[in-house]
Amino acid sequence: MADEWTVLIADDEPAARRGVRQLLAGYAEFTVCGEARNGADALAALDARRPDLLFLDIQMPGLDGFDVIRRRTPERMPLLVFLTAYDQFALRAFEAQALDYLVKPVTEARFAATMARVTRQLRAARAIEPEPPIVVTTAKGITVLRPRDIDWIESSDNYARLWIGGRSYLLRESMRELERRIGARGFVRAHRRALVRVGAVTEVATTAGGGVVARLESGATIPVSRRLRPAFSAAVRTGTRVDLT
């Protein structure tokens, strides 16, 4: 079972975000899936990206780091590491269930200690995390599907259409609800209505019209929106894949 996790960096200082990225470059199993410049952006990115780990600045314009936490239930929060230029918030940070508290500037040694704790926590959580089944109703009864077998998921209002090979299954559950329920680890959004399993992608190609599409093993071709191209390509390049075995 490969260790692959996604990271969101929320900090209003570009230099601080860049610094975390540079420090993370030495940890191949971690992929930065997004950045946020304030608390509101962080909340939106948490919903859209569903990271495994969040580096969160405390003092940001608008909603600060603690405001972000207050607006999320614990089960909807990834593993949390606070970033700050001050040390007086440490007690509040740990009361907020933060795994660690980093004071800027962060040294490589201190960051390594944090990442060791993060890795242990994530591995422990993954070890006990069951693979959530997906049960769909068919003309013959019910069929139980495994997330790791799904090629891509297509949103259709309050329904999600699950594609496996050339066959589809209609589930009476919105794609967003399904994404939250199964965790969607190993999947990445291609556009607003399509969630693609990275391991099913064989090619990301540019079309004659300047668009970008993902070609899957099944033969399906999924358009990739302009806004999501960087994150989609990054997920494919790093080989992020569904890993529920």
Side-chain angles (χ1 to χ4, degrees):
M1 178 176 179
D3 291 330
E4 297 168 347
W5 295 292
T6 55
V7 183
L8 175 67
I9 306 169
D11 197 309
D12 63 318
E13 299 176 20
R17 299 197 302 273
R18 186 166 57 251
V20 174
R21 274 187 177 273
Q22 291 171 346
L23 288 166
L24 281 169
Y27 300 85
E29 64 272 41
F30 290 85
T31 301
V32 176
C33 64
E35 295 185 5
R37 296 172 296 180
N38 53 54
D41 287 349
L43 287 169
L46 286 169
D47 285 332
R49 309 289 184 180
R50 298 185 58 81
D52 299 298
L53 172 64
L54 169 63
F55 285 97
L56 180 63
D57 187 16
I58 290 180
Q59 294 186 308
M60 294 186 290
L63 304 177
D64 66 20
F66 292 116
D67 291 330
V68 171
I69 296 172
R70 278 193 289 270
R71 283 163 170 75
R72 308 282 293 189
T73 57
E75 60 270 19
R76 295 178 61 207
M77 277 296 292
L79 212 57
L80 172 64
V81 174
F82 271 117
L83 284 171
T84 180
Y86 309 94
D87 59 10
Q88 65 263 36
F89 301 112
L91 179 59
R92 286 184 64 193
F94 286 112
E95 288 176 345
Q97 305 300 312
L99 180 69
D100 210 343
Y101 184 93
L102 294 175
V103 178
K104 306 171 189 174
V106 182
T107 65
E108 288 189 15
R110 182 65 181 85
F111 192 79
T114 295
M115 293 307 293
R117 296 183 65 190
V118 165
T119 301
R120 285 197 299 271
Q121 288 280 331
L122 289 173
R123 284 178 176 166
R126 181 165 289 181
I128 62 174
E129 183 178 336
E131 179 180 4
I134 299 174
V135 180
V136 297
T137 302
T138 67
K140 297 181 179 179
I142 62 171
T143 299
V144 179
L145 307 177
R146 299 180 303 180
R148 60 185 171 194
D149 294 331
I150 298 170
D151 295 322
W152 67 289
I153 302 171
E154 180 181 15
S155 172
S156 178
D157 296 326
N158 293 324
Y159 291 84
R161 186 173 293 280
L162 315 176
W163 288 89
I164 299 177
R167 187 171 183 179
S168 72
Y169 301 84
L170 191 62
L171 179 68
R172 189 171 184 175
E173 185 174 354
S174 73
M175 187 169 75
R176 183 174 292 277
E177 290 171 350
L178 177 63
E179 186 177 5
R180 287 174 178 163
R181 182 163 66 85
I182 69 174
R185 189 171 68 242
F187 287 78
V188 61
R189 280 190 183 270
H191 58 79
R192 188 170 59 88
R193 302 174 73 89
L195 192 63
V196 175
R197 181 168 62 85
V198 175
V201 177
T202 58
E203 183 182 22
V204 179
T206 302
T207 66
V212 170
V213 296
R215 303 190 198 284
L216 310 188
E217 290 175 336
S218 64
T221 299
I222 314 297
V224 181
S225 74
R226 183 182 299 276
R227 183 176 65 85
L228 295 174
R229 284 175 198 172
F232 192 91
S233 296
V236 172
R237 278 198 302 271
T238 56
T240 304
R241 59 188 174 84
V242 70
D243 205 348
L244 300 170
T245 56

